[in-house]
Amino acid sequence: VMQRTRHSTVGLLAVSVVGMMAMRPVSGFMYTGSARLFHSSSRFIAPRISSLGKARPLVAAKGFNVFNNRPASSQTCAPTMVASDPTTIEFTAPIFDKYEIVKEDMVEEYGAKVVLFKHKKTGAEVMSVSVPDENKVFGITFRTPPNDSTGVPHILEHSVLCGSRKYPLKEPFVELLKGSMNTFLNAFTYPDRTCYPVASQNLKDFYNLINVYLDSVLHPTLTPWTLKQEGWHYEVEGKDEPLTYKGVVFNEMKGVYSSPDAVHGRACQQALFPDNTYGVDSGGDPTVIPELTFDKFSGFHTKFYHPSNSRIYFYGDDDVPARLELLESFLEEFEALPSAPKESQVEWQKKRSEPWELTQTYPAGADGKPLMTVNWLINDKTLEPQEELALDVLDDLLMGTPVAPLYKTLRESGLGESVLSDGLETVLQQATYSVGMKGINDVEKIPEIEEKVLETLKEIASKGFEKSAIEASLNSLEFRLREFNTGGFPRGLSFMLGSLSSWLYDRDPMEPLRFEKPLAELRARLDKGEPVFQDLINKYLIENGHRVTVKTLPDTKLEEEIIAKEKAELAAVRSKLSAEEIDNLVEETKLLKERQLAEDPPEKLALIPSLTMDDLDKEGRNIPIEIGEEKGVKVLKHDLPTNGIVYADVGLDMRVVPFDLLPLMPLFCRCLTEMGTSDLDDIALSRFIQTHTGGVYTSTSTTQKYGAGNKVPEQEVVSNLFVRGKATYAKAGEMLEVMHKVLTDTNFDNKAKFLQMVLETKARMEGGMVGSGHSYAAGRIGARYQIADAVSEHMSGLSSYGFIKGLAKEVEEDWGSVLNKLLQIRDLLVDRRNLLVNLSAEQKGFDQIQSKLTEYVSAMPLRTDEVKVQDWAAEMHKFEGKGEGFIVPTQVNYVGKGGPMFAPGEETSGSYGVVARYLRTTWLWDKVRVVGGAYGAMNVYNPSSGMFKYVSYRDPNLEQTLDTYDGTGEFLRETAKEMSQTTLANAIIGMIGDMDSPMSPDQKGFTSMDRYLTGMTDEIRQQRREQVLGTTAKDFEAFADRLDSVAKDGTIAVIGSKAALEEANKKLGLDLTQLL
């Protein structure tokens, strides 16, 4: 959610998450299981993401408060327990006697009243943030430093949510997902902490979530069965069968250790911290996880999961005394445990004086290539706020954009396919810095890469940065901090994560929330002419001996060796077991599966607090839209509280592009913002964007029209290229100017830079196939049936991978031909007749920018030749057979199956969305994740196309998962017969929660435009909402009947290991392709 956008590796600070399905998806799949999540690398709270996606938020817009002018459309049916002014607190309620007020202050930057409390009896630390933000957040965090790589903190993170004293169910977490309107529900495992955050806009729901989470972490029902399910166990179905390892975390980490980027990132972290807790893997090493015993597992909870070792966090517009009353009901039974915070302290890693190297291997296919990074441990004492902020700016100056000098030097070196630019990480106690390359062509050239890194740093330390570059980077940082745009991610959670980077280490948690003072101090030093950044480079990089160069080399035999070693290890264990012990394991396997599939009795399910149907808004939330024209161009305006920022989306109808040119579109988009123009080279263009705007970036969107009357329409594609930007009202002219330049005047004729883009795309796709194979499998399935999916797959799916590999050769041998294709695309697209403009701002903003908008539209070329919409349907690849299997070097599989449930003209219903969502938290969760041991399983139902897809994530199985998919219809029919009103109500409540998920102003504007383009009117949305609210058990049965067609005739797409695919294919008859 908050991944640093320029990272090209998994990153050193990956955070494990227990159920990404809990987060509201913007589109696409919702995980039924866990997923990796990344957060901002900076302790300062603003995340390195924005509504502009890949664009880092850029220039200053001073003096606006992000919490002002909350839109009325975002109100919910919350209970009445809301403070009239959440920033005014009177400490008169009796509950305050239970807490010591450690500090009380106003964080002016964000209009937040912050009070730090200490629970007198237990010593628990509580941070209470009061702001007029209805998306309330709670979190409890424990410092949990491991001393080995058994993954005990990670497994425990999963396990505490599997039943507790007050809620003795199989998985209260899943029950919450079914019937909650949460806007965030998850858990994170860091290298030194475990966080349990929840968020909701509905106060009743919010307090329900807190109740369950607090009981889960403080009083979990931990048994050996819990460890077997979530961690690891021996599995054997019959006394003559071989042993295997199973377990959710075990299989998750097998997937992680199949990714070259993840293998490399973990080695870098562990190499930098050889002497403290960061030198082991808190997520778990699959070769070490089986060493975890139940005593150590339960003992870890006893040692660290105590209020005395906790940081507890509240945020939002709810009443502070009510927060503390709820918390007291859980804390009052505990006594202080003074040893807990002492035993959880993270030791400082002492810095070494001389650099060293580390070489390792990763499982690779025949075309695997080396990775390398140079890595530094930055500090061995606490950094001052201004120095850390300066390091953040330095990081941006060095590698924040494609034209930043260190990034540019490596990118243009020709020594590798892609730059590894993790850069500065300051989330843990000690900061690190990392830079290198992947897709290295010659292992012997790795020393040259290291030399280039060090030489470039020395040169910059000697000459310094240009003043314009520094100002652009400062503006970038300031805009990001002031705008504080977290998209659909709760702002309060970003506050929490930022605070913890200081609070966890017994420092002031408010410090990372403030930026005015350190930013002013930094600017003052720069104004005096101090060589701030040159000094930092010398001190923390050039003269820093604690530097390790990590090389990760491909090994085509390693995957087989890992599999053989595991088999031998299991065979050795089995050989020492008596016949009775084997029989016991067979019985254990059987009992575990019975426990996993057993349903909780109604009386236990009733213990989970939930909303009722009366708590739901019957009316949907609409987004304001004004439809107009400017010189014949459609202009959409959304009057929204944007706090002085205008968000602009310029769309160009992509249906004019021939099918054979579509694979070039992602590269064409990159060229627009990276190549430069006739009067601005790439560096000048980048600085102009940083200096005058909040960011400019490009994207494509391809979908299809909605049908009238709830009927699936004949396929009509909506496809656009968007140039998107944001700026203050005063800078809107500059934003529109540069958006015009990149569309009409990009200088495409740069063979070397374009070739590097091609190689970077190739490297990114190869990493994605191993780490995110589910998305590629889903795209492949859709491409068989839907024009929109075929177009998307042709541009960025498996089909495009072969094109990209061939394109690299074509660029080398016939650049002129490639250049002509790029120019052809521009000539076809950039035409006023293809244009759409979408604006989000306040009315006063529209008034200020109107003249600039007129100038922009007038300057857009108006061509006279015929506009030809391409017949993409005729170009679709005609798939045959049952499906496809794609072989990659991995220890897990991504198993997909799908097909059309409805034909054009057939009627759908909003109620079917309720059924599809229900499957994720019941059948698929239980069968694929819990019993099967996959890290996740997901499905997507598209009512506009009638398509349904299943996909699993990091799955140890293949045929078993397909059998589960095919059994879904029967499961739904049985469910429909026995469905209680409570179960049905929870399913509806969860769906309404998805429909009402919060959006930032720019997200609202873009979503409204998308609805306009696809014909999803407010009337249709309201009708579908009413269908959701009116869902009955009969809808489950009807959906089951439709799913039978997917079971019978659906397409299979699997990305997985050679061994798994070849074994399964003896029955499946898939077309197999070796991808990597």
Side-chain angles (χ1 to χ4, degrees), residues 232-286:
W232 77 277
H233 65 275
Y234 294 120
E235 182 164 299
V236 57
E237 299 278 359
K239 63 181 182 180
D240 296 324
E241 294 184 9
L243 292 181
T244 59
Y245 287 126
K246 282 290 180 71
V248 173
V249 170
F250 178 80
N251 288 315
E252 170 196 345
M253 298 312 294
K254 268 195 165 186
V256 171
Y257 275 74
S258 295
S259 163
D261 291 348
V263 170
H264 184 83
R266 275 161 177 73
C268 293
Q269 178 182 304
Q270 292 170 18
L272 284 171
F273 296 98
D275 305 316
N276 74 357
T277 189
Y278 303 147
V280 300
D281 191 344
S282 63
D285 182 333

Side-chain angles (χ1 to χ4, degrees), residues 70 149 162 165 258 275 314 327 428 440 451 461 481 512 542 612 633 686 703 722 738 848 900 923 925 964 971 1028:
R70 190 167 38 139
S149 294
C162 295
R165 183 177 71 184
S258 295
D275 305 316
F314 289 91
L327 190 57
L428 299 185
I440 297 169
E451 187 177 341
L481 291 170
I542 295 173
T612 68
V633 172
S686 177
T703 183
F722 289 103
V738 76
Q848 289 185 45
W923 177 249
W925 178 279
T964 295
F971 163 76
V1028 167

